[in-house]
Structures are given as C-alpha cells and as structure tokens.
Amino acid sequence: MVFRIRTYNNIAEAGLEAFPRSQYEVGASIEQPDGILVRSANLHQEPLPETVQAIARAGAGVNNIPVEKLSEQGIPVFNAPGANANAVKELVLAGLFMGFRHIAPALAFVAELSGEGETFEKAVEAGKKRFVGRELPGRRLGVVGLGAIGGQVANAARALGMEVVGYDPGITVEHAWRLASDIRQARSLDELLAECDVVSLHVPLIEATRELINERRIAVMPDSALLLNFARDGLVRRSAVLAALAEGRLGAYVTDFPHPELQGQPGVVALPHLGASTGEAEANSAVLAVQNLREFLEHGNIRNSVNFPDVVMPRTDGGRLAVANANVPNMVGQVGTTLAEAGLNIVDLLNRSRGELAYTLIDVDGEVAPDIAGRILAIDGVLKVRSIPPVSGRG
Ligand SMILES: NC(=O)c1ccc[n+]([C@@H]2O[C@H](COP(=O)([O-])OP(=O)(O)OC[C@H]3O[C@@H](n4cnc5c(N)ncnc54)[C@H](O)[C@@H]3O)[C@@H](O)[C@H]2O)c1
Ligand SMILES: O=C(O)[C@H](O)COP(=O)(O)O
C-alpha cells in the first residue's frame, strides 16, 4: 500500500527523508492525501479532502488547524511537543537582552549616524547615554505557561541569576519535575504580573488565552516592565500594549509576531516569527511529526496527538482494526459483537478515551474485510474506521 502525504510550508529534508519512497508519495500538490504535514499554514479555510486520515504539525502550536472540526470527524491531529523548545528558548533569551539593553534602538541609532573620525566618535559617546540598560541578576522574570518552552526559559533565566516566578494551572508532572527547585509558583496570573520586571508568555492560543494580556492586566504590571511574546500574536491586545508604551508604563514589547499596527512603534521590537527557525528545530520537528504520522497510517498507533489519547499497541500477526468513536458506553461491545458475527477472533485490544473522544485498536486473527469495516462505521457514535492489513501483507 502506498500512502499519499500533502505538505504545506517548507518541511525540513530530514523529515521528508523519513518517509520510505517505496511506501509514500509526498509533495505539495498531492491529490487525495491520506495525511497532511504542515507548519504554520492556515488550514481553517482550506478544503480538506475526505481521504485525509490524519494531520501532523511539524511544530508546537496547532491554532492554524481546525482541531475541533477534525475531532468531530474522528481525525487525529499530531504535533511535535518540545522539538523546537530549545530554539525558542534561545530567541527568548535574545529578546530579554534586547529589551533590557535597548539593542534595537541602539542599532538604529548607529545606522543613522553620520560624520567621520572624531565627530563620529563624539556622536557615539554622546548618544550612548540614551541606552543605559538593566542587568539580569536579581531581576524577577514571570513565565506564563511552564510547558516545553516556558520550563526551559524559566531554568535558563534562573541560571543567569534571575529570580523566576511561574504560573501554569495545568502544568504536567513531567514538566514540573524539570523545573529548577527554586522557581516559585504564582497563585494567579495577576499575582505574577504584579511582581515581575519581565513577563514571558508561553501558552497556546486558545479561546481562554485570547488577549490574555489586555489593558487591565497591563495596569497590574509595575512601571517599565518588559513584555516578551514568543507564543502567539493573539495572546496580547495590541492596542493595550501600544497605549501603555506611549504612556511610558510598559518598558518594551518584544514579540515574534510583527503586525502593521506594531511597525515602527517606539518600544516595540518585532522579529519575523523566527522562534523555531533553526536547522536543528526544523529537523527535530519534521522528524517527530513524520514519525507520528507514519505510526498512525501504518499501524493505527497514536502518539503525540492534541485531540486523541495516546494509544500504542505492538503488532500481532494478523490484521488490525482502528476505531475512533464518541466516548459513550457500549462502543467496544458493539464493535466486538460485529467482529464475532463475522467470525473474526480478537487477539489483542486496547481502548483509551480523552474527553469526548475514544479510540480502540483491535488485532484479529485474520483481516477485517471492507464490508465488516462498513458495518462498524454504521454503528451510532463511530466516527472513523480503518482496516489495517497484517504487517507481512503490506506491499
Ligand atoms: N515563536 C515560535 O516560533 C514558537 C515556536 C514554538 C511554539 N510557539 C508557541 O508557544 C506555545 C507553547 O509551546 P510549548 O511547546 O511550550 O507548549 P506546551 O504545550 O509544552 O506548553 C504550554 C503550557 O501552557 C499551559 N497553559 C495553557 N493555558 C494556560 C493559561 N491560561 N495560563 C497559564 N498556563 C497555561 C499548559 O498547561 C502548558 O503547560 C505554542 O502553543 C505556540 O503557540 C511559538
Ligand atoms: O508553534 C510553533 O511550533 C511555531 O510557531 C513554529 O512555527 P513554524 O514551524 O512555522 O516556524
């Protein structure tokens, strides 16, 4: 069987090479794709063919993908958690230094200098007093969102001598374990904002975080604080930031998300969404996204999905049925009965749920014929059914 993968954006070669050519056709113009591999391209308005079984994001944020709609259709969306975290952390540190040492306006000042020799040197020395900065040790950094990126930013800032406070009501045990022990936990976002010299945002853009930083929240921050946004444009109300900068209440806004409203505004430093743009991060993200996609297409296994639970079961000799369904009672029972009626013996089974969705892998001692898969798809609540051939039978 040959799988067809449609790509959007530039996907790193290391990832594309991880698709065996004998089993995959991959490209930007692939028709009727089984899978989609994407970075930041906006898929919300993109017509997605009915053939699509899965979408993999070679990166972290999935706000460019219609996850809810795909969940209703039983289609998993994968991402590459942590694969670009180091790259983002390094750029956040650069942003921190840029903000505290006024590097962007200082560079602009030098670029505009004229004259030569002593006149030039005098202008340099006279001008530099406008760019007196602040040092990191003893300053307090507030990290909002302590996941893969926020956790690394917190630890790096701690190592540079900053005091670090974090806020993340949904932190995972794994991420909590990785935090330096003296990173303090804020009880609320307002508590964090009120006591920090720098605030760095590392939360996903979802409805609950849209314009998380607005007029009211900026008013809580101490004067001259620095706001770093390397997560998403929509987390910050731009008009609130511009007003606070104009009134001198906010020290600077360093962001990875330029916008016409921000262009040329004093106090704004904007980079062109470079957080994950290193060779290493692009390769790591693409390779992990391709692994996720291949595991799903070839074996039905789910790892690193943002809408489905992890469901990974070693293959047995026979065929495999993969069923995505609503998380309601008696689904596995009905599927099992249908298989029994077809004379298929269940060799192994794994069922997991996450929120309103559930997913089941069932290995049988034969192969599930299309008409049996069709009968299972007809069961009320079943969203998607795939019959995956035995490993030895794949051509
Ligand atoms: N600039 C870039 O190029 C770039 C690169 C990678 C990721 N990102 C952005 O950064 C985001 C975070 O990436 P990550 O890899 O750290 O993701 P992650 O899932 O590992 O971490 C996100 C954390 O935010 C927490 N969170 C969610 N809502 C919150 C809230 N309201 N308040 C506090 N914490 C909250 C979650 O519990 C989680 O721990 C991505 O969603 C993406 O938008 C940007
Ligand atoms: O969420 C992410 O991983 C980043 O925003 C990176 O986006 P990119 O893959 O388009 O660079």
Side-chain angles (χ1 to χ4, degrees):
M1 169 159 192
V2 171
F3 295 106
R4 300 163 67 77
I5 307 295
R6 183 187 291 172
T7 58
Y8 290 77
N9 309 113
N10 283 330
I11 306 292
E13 209 45 48
L16 298 177
E17 281 168 3
F19 285 119
R21 286 291 166 261
S22 56
Q23 263 179 286
Y24 285 87
E25 283 173 21
V26 184
S29 51
I30 289 286
E31 307 252 349
Q32 301 195 306
D34 301 289
I36 284 180
L37 187 55
V38 63
R39 284 179 61 177
S40 285
N42 186 350
L43 299 186
H44 283 279
Q45 312 307 333
E46 187 79 5
L48 295 176
E50 281 186 6
T51 51
V52 171
Q53 308 283 344
I55 297 189
R57 182 3 172 159
V62 291
N63 56 301
N64 56 320
I65 301 171
V67 179
E68 207 173 315
K69 199 169 96 190
L70 292 160
S71 299
E72 286 163 11
Q73 297 169 24
I75 297 176
V77 176
F78 298 93
N79 72 350
N84 57 25
N86 185 68
V88 184
K89 172 203 74 184
E90 290 184 5
L91 202 65
V92 170
L93 292 178
L96 185 56
F97 289 119
M98 287 179 85
F100 263 15
R101 301 302 291 268
H102 311 295
I103 290 172
L107 289 173
F109 161 73
V110 171
E112 282 163 19
L113 278 178
S114 54
E116 283 186 16
E118 211 177 317
T119 318
F120 190 90
E121 281 165 25
K122 273 188 177 164
V124 168
E125 292 306 317
K128 76 179 189 187
K129 60 177 174 291
R130 285 160 48 197
F131 307 113
V132 174
R134 289 179 270 179
E135 296 185 27
L136 301 188
R139 305 275 175 192
R140 199 175 288 150
L141 168 71
V143 181
V144 184
L146 292 162
I149 298 170
Q152 287 206 25
V153 168
N155 287 345
R158 189 65 208 92
L160 289 167
M162 297 188 84
E163 246 186 77
V164 180
V165 183
Y167 175 67
D168 187 339
I171 189 170
T172 63
V173 173
E174 192 193 342
H175 284 138
W177 270 109
R178 291 189 198 156
L179 284 181
S181 57
D182 51 2
I183 290 171
R184 197 156 51 77
Q185 180 192 351
R187 277 161 305 192
S188 70
L189 178 56
D190 281 4
E191 180 186 305
L192 177 147
L193 294 173
E195 57 176 294
C196 290
D197 305 292
V198 191
V199 171
S200 195
L201 306 176
H202 299 291
V203 296
L205 178 62
I206 50 177
E207 267 331 290
T209 58
R210 191 171 289 284
E211 299 200 337
L212 192 67
I213 303 299
N214 50 32
E215 287 82 355
R216 190 189 74 67
R217 290 257 163 70
I218 292 176
V220 174
M221 296 168 75
D223 280 353
S224 304
L226 178 65
L227 179 61
L228 305 175
N229 179 7
F230 287 77
R232 281 297 178 263
D233 180 46
L235 298 171
V236 173
R237 191 177 293 163
R238 285 186 297 273
S239 56
V241 161
L242 290 174
L245 286 170
E247 291 161 19
R249 285 185 288 112
L250 195 61
Y253 178 52
V254 185
T255 180
D256 205 14
F257 305 96
H259 188 276
E261 285 174 23
L262 298 176
Q263 263 180 311
Q265 295 291 341
V268 174
V269 178
L271 299 168
H273 193 191
L274 287 181
S277 293
T278 64
E280 295 89 336
E282 290 183 350
N284 290 342
S285 301
V287 168
L288 185 51
V290 170
Q291 276 171 7
N292 296 335
L293 207 48
R294 283 193 60 191
E295 268 298 313
F296 180 74
L297 291 174
E298 294 171 34
H299 303 293
N301 288 328
I302 297 186
R303 260 197 203 100
N304 299 321
S305 170
V306 300
N307 55 346
F308 274 84
D310 271 11
V311 187
V312 177
M313 191 167 85
R315 291 301 297 265
T316 50
D317 289 340
R320 170 169 283 190
L321 189 75
V323 182
N325 57 271
N327 184 17
V328 293
N330 198 27
M331 297 304 300
V332 175
Q334 291 181 81
V335 173
T337 304
T338 312
L339 290 173
E341 283 167 4
L344 285 163
N345 186 37
I346 293 177
V347 178
D348 209 350
L349 182 150
L350 184 61
N351 167 265
R352 292 277 182 274
S353 65
R354 176 172 174 178
E356 293 178 353
L357 290 175
Y359 186 76
T360 310
L361 289 177
I362 304 173
D363 282 4
V364 294
D365 60 2
E367 197 168 341
V368 182
D371 63 314
I372 310 300
R375 273 163 55 194
I376 291 171
L377 185 60
I379 296 171
D380 197 24
V382 170
L383 305 169
K384 212 62 164 185
V385 176
R386 290 170 65 218
S387 173
I388 300 167
V391 176
S392 56
R394 283 193 283 145

